């Protein structure tokens, strides 16, 4: 592949840009990649993925008006990785604990509003930063790589242990947004005796079969970009192309593997997650939005279909369910006051998961 600019050797990111320019016409309708030279001659890649239903954009940050965490806790994993987590305490020390995991490339501060709203309804909420992001002591690079295995098998046990020490006897739920919701199921499968239930929001499998053809082409394009950028610059520069953040090669490799196979088989693990998911038995409350292109109802059903032994409740909210407020994959974080109802809806109480009433909302349970 030729990879040069004006008679000089191109940088790794310029090569990625070149490949995108060449591939975009055939692989993904609507891709437009431009090169922009900033201070110091650093080239930045911008992508606009129009015509696939929703742009690949980084998660918008909540404004400074959002409540700060009541407490910040620091965790050190078994391999020495250090990261922080925000902790929003409920009024009762015996309240249940919800660990809420971020979407790909999203700092935990995005979820302050949601965490504060849930804490106000009687649930302790913990919002940790991902390995490689924000407060994390490592950054994705040629020297440092990690995948789902590190997040689930190294970081999660340290986080859960810290919270169970602080809140002995309180049931621990794990939830998450988008990829965070997917990984919450893996964490529960890995430590079923320490997790009480699951709360994925705007989440679902990234398996290609769950998406229309145009989004399938977009997902395949992201896989191509992750392979090229990983080889050339040592990481996935999501913050430059508008999808996720600076991601480790291993994270993107695991993400692409799920897209193509529908199976959770993280690189380097000896644990059979698919088998463990099929045996998992706990309450699961899944919330999706009709306006969400990236986590449609089909993707949520696919993910929940891996949990046949769980007590599953799947909700898909439209504008009529949110007082006319249109919510999608990203915008729900801006309206946390609409989501605190999750805790109080019949059949969806984190504080009393033994109830299993049919809510007034239409219930959509995933196929077995």
């Amino acid at each position: 592949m030729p990879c040069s600019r004006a008679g000089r050797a191109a940088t790794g990111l310029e090569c990625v840009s070149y490949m995108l320019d060449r591939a975009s016409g055939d692989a993904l309708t609507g891709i437009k990649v431009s090169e922009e030279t900033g201070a110091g001659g650093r080239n930045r890649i911008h992508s606009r993925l129009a015509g696939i239903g929703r742009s690949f954009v980084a998660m918008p940050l909540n404004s400074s008006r959002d409540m700060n965490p009541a407490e910040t806790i620091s965790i050190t994993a078994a391999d020495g990785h250090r990261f922080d987590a925000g902790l929003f305490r409920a009024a009762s020390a015996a309240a249940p604990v919800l660990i809420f995991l971020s979407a790909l490339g999203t700092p935990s501060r995005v979820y302050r509003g949601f965490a504060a709203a849930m804490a106000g309804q009687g649930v302790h909420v913990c919002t940790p930063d991902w390995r490689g992001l924000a407060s994390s002591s490592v950054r994705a690079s040629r020297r440092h790589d990690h995948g789902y295995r590190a997040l689930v098998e190294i970081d999660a046990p340290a986080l859960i242990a810290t919270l169970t020490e602080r809140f002995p006897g309180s049931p621990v739920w794990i939830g998450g947004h988008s990829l965070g919701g997917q990984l919450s199921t893996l964490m529960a499968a890995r430590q079923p005796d320490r997790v009480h239930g699951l709360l994925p929001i705007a989440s679902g499998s990234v398996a290609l079969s769950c998406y229309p053809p145009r989004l399938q082409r977009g997902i395949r394009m992201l896989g191509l970009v992750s392979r090229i950028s990983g080889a050339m610059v040592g990481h996935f520069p999501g913050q430059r192309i508008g999808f996720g953040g600076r991601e480790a090669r291993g994270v993107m490799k695991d993400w692409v593997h799920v897209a193509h196979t529908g199976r959770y088989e993280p690189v380097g693990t000896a644990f059979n997650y698919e088998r463990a998911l099929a045996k998992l038995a706990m309450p699961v409350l899944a919330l999706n939005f009709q306006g969400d292109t990236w986590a449609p109802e089909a993707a949520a059903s696919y993910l929940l279909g891996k949990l046949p032994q769980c007590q599953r409740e799947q909700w898909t909210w439209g504008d009529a369910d949110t007082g006319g407020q249109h919510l999608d994959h990203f915008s729900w974080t801006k309206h946390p006051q609409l989501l605190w109802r999750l805790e109080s809806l019949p059949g969806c109480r984190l504080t009393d998961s033994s109830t299993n009433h049919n809510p007034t909302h239409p219930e959509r349970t995933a196929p077995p």
Side-chain angles (χ1 to χ4, degrees):
M1 179 193 75
C3 194
S4 62
R5 287 287 191 269
R8 61 176 173 80
T11 66
L13 286 177
E14 287 174 334
C15 290
V16 175
S17 178
Y18 174 85
M19 284 295 292
L20 277 170
D21 282 325
R22 292 291 303 273
S24 60
D26 297 327
L28 177 60
T29 302
I31 285 270
K32 180 179 181 180
V33 179
S34 62
E35 198 172 89
E36 177 179 284
T37 303
R42 179 174 297 174
N43 293 299
R44 297 180 180 178
I45 297 173
H46 301 273
S47 83
R48 178 175 55 83
L49 297 138
I52 59 172
R54 181 66 55 190
S55 296
F56 292 87
V57 294
M59 174 65 67
L61 300 184
N62 287 355
S63 70
S64 59
R65 294 175 295 174
D66 291 329
M67 181 182 297
N68 288 325
E71 185 179 345
T72 298
I73 56 177
S74 296
I75 297 103
T76 301
D79 65 349
H81 170 232
R82 300 181 305 279
F83 61 102
D84 291 344
L87 179 60
F88 297 76
R89 291 180 179 267
S92 170
V97 178
L98 171 65
I99 299 172
F100 198 78
L101 307 173
S102 303
L104 183 72
T106 307
S108 63
R109 64 181 180 272
V110 166
Y111 305 98
R112 289 172 182 168
F114 169 70
M118 292 294 285
Q121 296 301 309
V123 179
H124 302 301
V125 182
C126 177
T127 55
D129 281 325
W130 281 124
R131 179 178 290 238
L133 187 67
S135 65
S136 171
S137 62
V138 300
R139 289 293 181 269
S141 65
R142 289 192 184 279
R143 288 188 173 185
H144 179 86
D145 188 27
H146 63 270
Y148 289 6
R149 189 189 72 82
L151 303 176
V152 175
E153 299 179 14
I154 301 176
D155 294 343
L159 176 62
I160 294 173
T162 298
L163 291 171
T164 52
E165 287 177 7
R166 287 175 178 252
F167 302 101
S170 293
V172 175
W173 286 65
I174 306 182
H177 174 210
S178 196
L179 177 61
Q182 296 178 58
L183 297 189
S184 72
T185 66
L186 304 189
M187 293 176 185
R190 180 71 176 174
Q191 299 187 84
D193 56 331
R194 307 196 76 175
V195 179
H196 188 82
L198 297 170
L199 181 64
I201 298 179
S203 183
S205 173
V206 73
L208 287 168
S209 61
C210 299
Y211 298 88
R214 278 185 147 180
L215 269 176
Q216 290 184 24
R217 291 194 293 270
I219 292 170
R220 286 193 171 96
M221 172 59 75
L222 286 170
L224 172 64
V225 174
S226 69
R227 290 193 298 274
I228 297 171
S229 61
M232 292 183 172
V233 299
H235 65 275
F236 175 72
Q239 78 282 11
R240 296 185 179 227
I241 67 172
F243 182 84
R246 182 184 178 117
E247 309 297 342
R249 303 185 303 278
V251 167
M252 295 307 299
K253 186 173 183 179
D254 287 333
W255 187 86
V256 171
H257 179 79
V258 176
H260 286 283
T261 68
R263 296 177 61 81
Y264 292 100
E265 298 166 323
V267 173
T269 190
F271 188 76
N272 190 324
Y273 283 96
E274 291 293 325
R275 182 184 303 166
L277 288 169
K279 294 180 178 180
L280 198 62
M282 60 180 59
V284 181
L285 321 174
L287 174 63
N288 293 82
F289 306 103
Q290 290 178 3
D292 185 354
T293 306
W294 277 106
E297 189 172 4
S301 295
Y302 192 102
L303 179 62
L304 295 186
K306 293 180 177 291
L307 309 169
Q309 304 302 316
C310 287
Q311 176 189 318
R312 298 164 295 176
E313 301 226 15
Q314 182 180 354
W315 300 71
T316 304
W317 285 2
D319 294 356
D321 304 304
T322 55
Q325 179 65 56
H326 182 76
L327 299 182
D328 59 25
H329 196 62
F330 307 124
S331 64
W332 70 268
T333 65
K334 297 289 187 178
H335 302 278
Q337 74 281 3
L338 299 176
L339 271 68
W340 65 260
R341 292 191 298 133
L342 278 174
E343 200 285 321
S344 58
L345 285 169
C348 290
R349 293 183 62 84
L350 273 67
T351 49
D352 181 13
S353 62
S354 61
T355 15
N356 187 27
H357 305 108
N358 281 328
T360 54
H361 249 286
E363 178 180 320
R364 297 178 176 88
T365 304

